[in-house]
Amino acid sequence: MRRASLVAPLLLIGIGLLFLARNVFPELQLLDYLAKYWPLLLVIWGGLRLLEILVWAATSKPLPMHGIASGEWVLVIFLCFAGVSLHAVRGFSAWLPGSRIELGGLDIFGESFDYPLSAEKTTGKTPRVIIESFRGNARITAADVASVKVTGHSTIRSLDQAGADRANQEAPLEVDGDANQIRIQTWQNRVSGSNRRISADLDIVVPKGASIEAHGRSGDFDISGVNGSIDINADSSSVRLEDIGGDVTMEVRGSDILRAAKVKGSVELKGRGSDIDLQDIAGQVTINGTFTGNSQLHNLAKPLRITTPYTEFNAEKVGEMRVTLGNLNGSDLTGPVRFTSSRSWDVNLANFTNSLEISMNGGDINLRPGLLPLAKMDVRNRVGHIELALPQDAKFDLTATSRLGSVDNEFGGPLKLEPTGRRGAILRGSNGGASVNITTDNGQIVVRTASATDIERPPVGKLPKLPAIPRAPLPPRPVEQ
Amino acid sequence: MIGARSLLAAIRGPVLLLTLGLLMAADQLDRMSFSRTWPVLLILFGLFKLAEHLSSQDSQPNGPGETRA
């Protein structure tokens, strides 16, 4: 006859004793112990069973087919689930004040522990400040100092104080370097494991002439008053820059907003992200990548180049421009302005000069050149309407062709409709000015006289200011259990 | 005499359970995440299977059940 194992009864007795203890001593935090030490149950279970089988084997008793029967495995799996969720629940906020839920992050459960950070290092007037593998928020300001000073705090999410303490020791703040280069290291990358998460809020004061280089997993940067260059490379980062003296390069794999205002150098944005907000940029602006949110560009003094997988836009100078999904609005553009896209766009341009070239797959185009002499135009659309409002005294050599649609002449004067075949229409006329060619395969073209409202009221009004990057809320103080 | 094969089969479960408990404990104490250490269980299981296979091959010449533990 097969012998029954002694382990299952022993475990039952053990669990019974535990619950009895809980009933007799209610102040005993049994669930806490269970949440923490439940894996030991598995160890004891397996260990006892192993011992039992070895004893049976040594005494030549018949061995069971399987040391742990399938029913027991089911129990083990159940125990694992229960243990993991109990563990998670013990870290859950409602019972322990001081912990919070952070949605969107991996670790929903656990508590926040806070550790102050502070370090300083003397340096020269124009150091290169490098921030390495940083996660959190950094506010960088410049002052008339000859040192780099870092203050702030590190926030560690962990299920208990001991884990947080250990993480804090593993990730000390280090500020090191010489007169030319300062390296700020948080060593956050040393902290790993599914149960811990570390981030820091840093206030960094650098000399005015400093240039900044930052790379990290997800860091939000707020930099102002720095005269050197800014170079940010991050997986996920929102950046706000103001009063920057040098060139700005930002490469991100994800971002809520990249904002730069009052930059004396060039601005280069690369990667993927959402919103872009650029204002008063003295240097060239290059945007290369996919930014799917709202882009606002205001007062760009040098050429603008935007390259996305489907679209290309160039202008020599930009007064005001706003790009949202499928919508491009611009005014006060200095050409040559060039816009090509394999996608559909609604394009609205006012007060542009020099020359304009548009080639796109579909969408409506509304052009109000406004300024004289009239810009040279070459506009090609596959499907969509085109409306062109010309100033009364504009000089042009115009040809407007709709292959399948109609062309309306509301300008009068030198423009005349030419007879075509059964479909389409051509409007042509010249009074000896810039060549204007407008073509759509399928859609209506309207050429009209610009009215007073067209000139006075550009399509892009004063853009609302975007709100500042929200700063992460301060985590609560650690709680003694 | 007890066959090595049946002994291996009998202790396989408890040893795996013990290991699972240790890995879970390591995960709990923030030493090593279980999501990184779980292949240990696979390796262990494979080793057991291999050992059983080898021990049953050894026992072939003597016929099943004749092996010494």
Side-chain angles (χ1 to χ4, degrees):
Chain A
M1 195 189 77
R2 219 191 107 195
R3 287 167 58 95
S5 165
L6 287 176
V7 178
L10 282 178
L11 272 179
L12 273 180
I13 292 170
I15 291 171
L17 279 176
L18 277 177
F19 279 97
L20 184 68
R22 196 180 92 118
N23 290 345
V24 176
F25 309 103
E27 72 280 0
L28 201 67
Q29 289 197 317
L30 188 71
L31 270 180
D32 276 344
Y33 292 125
L34 213 57
K36 211 166 185 174
Y37 298 112
W38 67 268
L40 288 183
L41 275 181
L42 299 184
V43 175
I44 294 169
W45 187 349
L48 285 179
R49 202 67 222 269
L50 187 62
L51 207 67
E52 194 178 44
I53 286 170
L54 289 178
V55 168
W56 286 353
T59 54
S60 299
K61 289 193 177 127
L63 292 179
M65 273 281 283
H66 301 288
I68 306 277
S70 5
E72 286 176 293
W73 278 118
V74 172
L75 198 59
V76 166
I77 290 166
F78 175 75
L79 196 67
C80 283
F81 274 111
V84 168
S85 41
L86 189 64
H87 185 117
V89 164
R90 288 314 290 176
F92 188 57
S93 57
W95 301 359
L96 297 169
S99 62
R100 61 179 178 152
I101 309 170
E102 193 170 277
L103 291 172
L106 276 175
D107 301 312
I108 296 175
F109 305 109
E111 293 168 81
S112 275
F113 297 90
D114 233 16
Y115 298 87
L117 296 174
S118 169
E120 186 166 6
K121 179 86 186 171
T122 53
T123 182
K125 283 211 173 313
T126 56
R128 183 157 193 78
V129 178
I130 302 170
I131 304 169
E132 287 203 338
S133 45
F134 173 69
R135 177 175 201 158
N137 299 309
R139 182 197 297 270
I140 301 171
T141 47
D144 268 325
V145 290
S147 71
V148 172
K149 188 178 179 191
V150 184
T151 51
H153 60 261
S154 168
T155 305
I156 298 169
R157 289 192 82 59
S158 175
L159 289 165
D160 54 13
Q161 175 96 46
D165 286 347
R166 207 162 44 241
N168 185 47
Q169 279 160 18
E170 285 164 19
L173 174 69
E174 280 175 16
V175 179
D176 218 356
D178 52 29
N180 298 318
Q181 180 167 306
I182 291 286
R183 201 174 278 271
I184 300 173
Q185 275 169 308
T186 52
W187 295 117
Q188 289 162 330
N189 50 338
R190 286 181 185 166
V191 176
S192 59
S194 58
N195 292 332
R196 297 181 303 174
R197 182 171 164 153
I198 184 166
S199 72
D201 272 282
L202 299 181
D203 260 306
I204 304 172
V205 181
V206 299
K208 279 213 160 98
S211 49
I212 311 285
E213 186 183 323
H215 15 99
R217 297 240 303 272
S218 67
D220 286 356
F221 296 95
D222 195 334
I223 304 174
S224 62
V226 175
N227 278 331
S229 64
I230 308 287
D231 187 346
I232 291 172
N233 187 325
D235 282 348
S236 161
S237 184
S238 289
V239 183
R240 218 181 88 172
L241 307 176
E242 198 160 351
D243 285 320
I244 304 299
D247 293 343
V248 172
T249 311
M250 298 188 233
E251 186 168 353
V252 292
R253 262 76 69 194
S255 114
D256 289 338
I257 181 166
L258 299 178
R259 173 194 265 185
K262 297 180 203 149
V263 177
K264 294 201 178 73
S266 67
V267 174
E268 188 179 354
L269 310 181
K270 272 192 263 182
R272 286 192 303 273
S274 183
D275 295 354
I276 292 175
D277 182 9
L278 300 177
Q279 290 182 23
D280 304 312
I281 312 293
Q284 173 159 342
V285 174
T286 316
I287 300 172
N288 196 335
T290 311
F291 292 88
T292 52
N294 296 323
S295 294
Q296 292 186 170
L297 310 171
H298 174 77
N299 194 11
L300 313 183
K302 285 272 172 67
L304 163 70
R305 308 254 175 276
I306 302 176
T307 313
T308 77
Y310 309 105
T311 301
E312 217 167 293
F313 182 91
N314 296 319
E316 292 308 296
K317 238 174 162 184
V318 173
E320 195 93 63
M321 197 162 116
R322 184 168 193 161
V323 186
T324 54
L325 201 66
N327 252 303
L328 184 133
N329 290 304
S331 70
D332 302 304
L333 306 176
T334 304
V337 178
R338 203 164 159 269
F339 178 65
T340 48
S341 179
S342 57
R343 294 282 164 105
S344 287
W345 288 81
D346 282 341
V347 177
N348 214 324
L349 297 178
N351 299 346
F352 50 89
T353 61
N354 247 334
S355 76
L356 171 71
E357 191 184 330
I358 295 179
S359 162
M360 51 182 223
N361 201 35
D364 294 344
I365 302 176
N366 191 335
L367 303 173
R368 279 163 283 179
L371 307 169
L372 293 175
L374 198 66
K376 180 175 173 290
M377 278 176 256
D378 188 0
V379 178
R380 251 178 278 235
N381 195 4
R382 278 198 52 226
V383 183
H385 300 314
I386 302 176
E387 187 174 328
L388 174 64
L390 296 170
Q392 186 71 56
D393 40 5
K395 300 271 182 261
F396 50 80
D397 175 4
L398 183 142
T399 311
T401 314
S402 177
R403 286 192 222 287
L404 295 171
S406 64
V407 179
D408 289 358
N409 179 12
E410 295 173 11
F411 186 84
L415 297 177
K416 279 199 179 64
L417 276 171
E418 286 186 0
T420 52
R422 279 191 308 145
R423 293 164 139 185
I426 297 175
L427 182 69
R428 215 186 287 257
S430 169
N431 54 12
S435 97
V436 176
N437 281 301
I438 295 172
T439 312
T440 179
D441 285 349
N442 193 356
Q444 186 191 22
I445 298 179
V446 177
V447 180
R448 62 179 175 90
T449 317
S451 62
T453 51
D454 286 329
I455 295 155
E456 277 168 17
R457 193 169 46 81
V460 185
K462 189 70 202 138
L463 298 170
K465 245 189 130 41
L466 283 170
I469 303 168
R471 301 196 51 92
L474 277 180
R477 302 281 124 192
V479 177
E480 300 294 328
Q481 277 198 349
Chain B
M1 274 303 168
I2 296 151
R5 189 187 154 89
S6 59
L7 177 67
L8 280 170
I11 64 167
R12 185 175 71 210
V15 169
L16 284 177
L17 184 58
L18 193 75
T19 315
L20 177 69
L22 288 175
L23 294 186
M24 281 294 180
D27 178 85
Q28 205 82 338
L29 300 174
D30 285 343
R31 296 288 159 165
M32 263 177 293
S33 148
F34 183 70
S35 55
R36 283 200 286 166
T37 54
W38 64 266
V40 170
L41 291 174
L42 274 188
I43 293 168
L44 212 57
F45 190 77
L47 283 177
F48 267 108
K49 279 294 187 194
L50 194 67
E52 282 169 36
H53 187 70
L54 290 178
S55 67
S56 69
Q57 267 187 350
D58 290 344
S59 63
Q60 283 305 320
N62 303 334
E66 294 286 306
T67 332
R68 283 160 206 281

